[in-house]
Amino acid sequence: MVLKRTFIRLLFLFCFISGLSAQETGVRRSQVVETYRGKQYYIHFVEQGQTLHAISQAYQITVDDIRKANPDLTEVLRDDQMLMIPVKELQAAPEPVSKTETPADLPVRDIVDGQRSHIVAPKETWYALARQYNLAVKDVIAANPGIDTLRIGMKVIIPEPAQPEARPGLKLYTVSAQETLYGISRAFGITVDELVGLNPVLSNGLQTGQVIYVPDRQPVVQRPAEQSRSRKDGYLEHRVERKETLYSISRRYGVEMSAIINANPGLGGSLKKNEVLLIPLPGSAPAGNVKVKQDSVVLGRAVHAEALPELPAMNCTPSHPVKRTFNLALMVPFALEHADSVYTGDPMSLKLPSEYRSLDFIQFYEGALIAVDDLAAHGMDVRLHVYDADAGEGIIKTRRILSNPEMENMDLIIGPLFARSFELVASFAAKHEIPVINPLSQRSEIIAGNSYVVKSQPSGWSRYNGTAQVLAGRFGDANFVVMRLNDTENASMAGVFTGTLRKLIDDPAGVKEVIYSKGHDAGLIQSMVPGKTNVVLMLTADKALIPALLRRLNDLRDKYQIVVVGLPEWEEMEMDINYLHQLNAHFFTPWFVDYSDPDVIRFISSFRERYIGEPELFRYAYLGYDLTAYFLDALYSFGPGFLKCIPDFTKKGLSSNFRFQQQDGGGYENTSITVYRLTDFRKETVK
């Protein structure tokens, strides 16, 4: 009897182990391989029930290897989550492209059996294709069975975007031009994070015409029946809500701000909640005889004298309270938990410095230290508090930092650098009236409703608008051609450029829009004018189209005077640099370093001496210095209430000359932009 029970237990144990083995070996190894930073990775999509251990067994690597390749990985895997799995044995090198058929000569788009196709350009990946066409990586791969590694010149199928299926409690919403994540989330009473959770594809950005899920209820900001009523004399009455502006109201009703101002004589710039405005209906005559003078354009919007807010008098005279000790909190994700051991193995197998998470933002910290020393040398007494903040989605470290009583006594906080932890710190800063600086986010939502938050990265809208202002000032009588690849690519960007240019140049008809996919080269050439400067804004990052189009425009220089304006991403592409110089190429960027500047030379020398390394723009060395130097100087000059003074506080930085503007009822955004051109094979800034 005992022997029988023992046999049954052994049989059960064997079946249990066999079941586990069957589960783990059931993970199929992906055939899709991508190259990232010189290393090859399988692109694996997690299926229901799969675990990290099972996946590691299938690929014959350790769980730690998977975690190192996916630093933001959490304990719980999600269905369809994408993992990068290191390839132990390198795949065969890509086949070379025939000299008679280079990517520049191949068609960019084509139709194969009723499906879209794309010609792979150098350095393009599955991920890049998915981003370009606003698709999921998994869908693009599934449309190309049998293709594991992309090769230059290869033709791949681009599937049509799948229409979302109906889901309980949700409805489909089509994104309109110039809508934002914040605006849509607010309209439906949810947070931006909740909206992205319903639509993971939104992490790649919002696209005009995109169909997304929203809660199945009426948007709270689109109920004109509750907020306005019709009148017999051709007007609506609108009752102003909290945080509404003249600009937002004009956009809502589709009328010009000047028409609203004409209909409301004596209207001030600061609207008050529950104030009633007359909104003229289309075709109605203006009320009164108020003549509105369009004084200028700020941020691409027409500004009228009657609409300018009356700001209270501010005392922003530098006082330099040198006897005061100022407390600065610097919150940087050092990931110290990954740097708590010493490697004693073969030195030849050491990882590159770029592969250590603890070094991701080390140059930001190093640049900030130099700035602190510079201010101290000018007499400022700074007590620097440095904290290891969370990276990715974590908030545990940040909560621990904020629980420290000394945080309530800070005069300035710089960081954290990641969204979830910064949200916590921003709330803390508002409660304790401490200015907090966000170094990396472009999202305008972070300064909404919080006057203590400063966003150092210009939003996309500010970048395009600022660039348009520079171009209009430099080429006021030119023929402007705003070109993009198709109806959806960079539609919002094109809208800002065309809108601002038409407001600023003498003849708005001198701004034309071209969709390349509809007319190709002929459509672009027809939009140019002989005898005038043709400023061609090529708002596309298509790696196959750009080299061919630059070559075509270069061939037309005898007939047309052409100035090309390109995207910052072009600098990472392979193209003939001579075309860019011959076409007087202009580029725009929020961060530009002039390496001939004496202050930059001094900083580089100091950085080399301290850290035995080179400061790099894209590793945030200059950003760390500029932010710390600017805001410490403002704090030193004006005292703890310095934020009200920064719109008029100018200080030359190494990579940015900050220009801050306050959002209505919210924080401050940097709107500074640098436009530069290529001349004599060097970069020259355009004033």
Side-chain angles (χ1 to χ4, degrees), residues 386-440:
V386 182
Y387 300 98
D388 178 21
D390 292 286
E393 295 295 304
I395 55 174
I396 295 176
K397 293 181 183 178
T398 304
R399 289 188 183 278
R400 188 181 304 124
I401 293 169
L402 295 180
S403 66
N404 191 332
E406 69 180 8
M407 284 298 296
E408 298 181 12
N409 299 319
M410 294 298 158
D411 297 290
L412 175 66
I413 302 173
I414 298 180
L417 278 63
F418 287 86
R420 287 198 66 195
S421 50
F422 184 84
E423 183 178 343
L424 289 178
V425 175
S427 298
F428 176 90
K431 179 180 179 181
H432 298 282
E433 300 183 350
I434 305 171
V436 56
I437 317 302
N438 188 301
L440 298 182

Side-chain angles (χ1 to χ4, degrees), residues 156-175:
V156 295
I157 300 299
I158 304 298
E160 294 295 332
Q163 290 298 317
E165 298 178 356
R167 292 168 58 181
L170 301 175
K171 66 178 181 179
L172 300 179
Y173 179 83
T174 303
V175 178

Side-chain angles (χ1 to χ4, degrees), residues 118-130:
H118 178 94
I119 304 301
V120 177
K123 298 183 180 179
E124 278 195 320
T125 64
W126 291 111
Y127 179 72
L129 289 178

Side-chain angles (χ1 to χ4, degrees), residues 318 320-321 371 375 378 380 412 626-639 642 649-652:
H320 290 286
L375 267 295
H378 285 82
M380 186 178 188
L412 175 66
D626 282 349
L627 288 180
T628 308
Y630 178 90
F631 287 103
L632 280 183
D633 198 358
L635 179 61
Y636 186 42
S637 299
F638 308 115
F642 71 90
F649 180 56
T650 58
K651 178 181 175 67
K652 179 176 173 293

Side-chain angles (χ1 to χ4, degrees), residues 101-179:
E101 189 179 42
T102 63
D105 298 323
L106 291 169
V108 181
R109 303 285 189 277
D110 202 350
I111 302 297
V112 178
D113 295 333
Q115 290 184 300
R116 295 182 298 173
S117 68
H118 178 94
I119 304 301
V120 177
K123 298 183 180 179
E124 278 195 320
T125 64
W126 291 111
Y127 179 72
L129 289 178
R131 285 290 301 271
Q132 180 176 342
Y133 290 95
N134 196 30
L135 296 167
V137 177
K138 185 177 182 181
D139 292 339
V140 181
I141 294 173
N144 296 274
I147 299 178
D148 51 3
T149 302
L150 295 179
R151 296 182 174 88
I152 300 173
M154 177 184 289
K155 183 178 292 187
V156 295
I157 300 299
I158 304 298
E160 294 295 332
Q163 290 298 317
E165 298 178 356
R167 292 168 58 181
L170 301 175
K171 66 178 181 179
L172 300 179
Y173 179 83
T174 303
V175 178
S176 301
Q178 299 184 346
E179 281 195 300

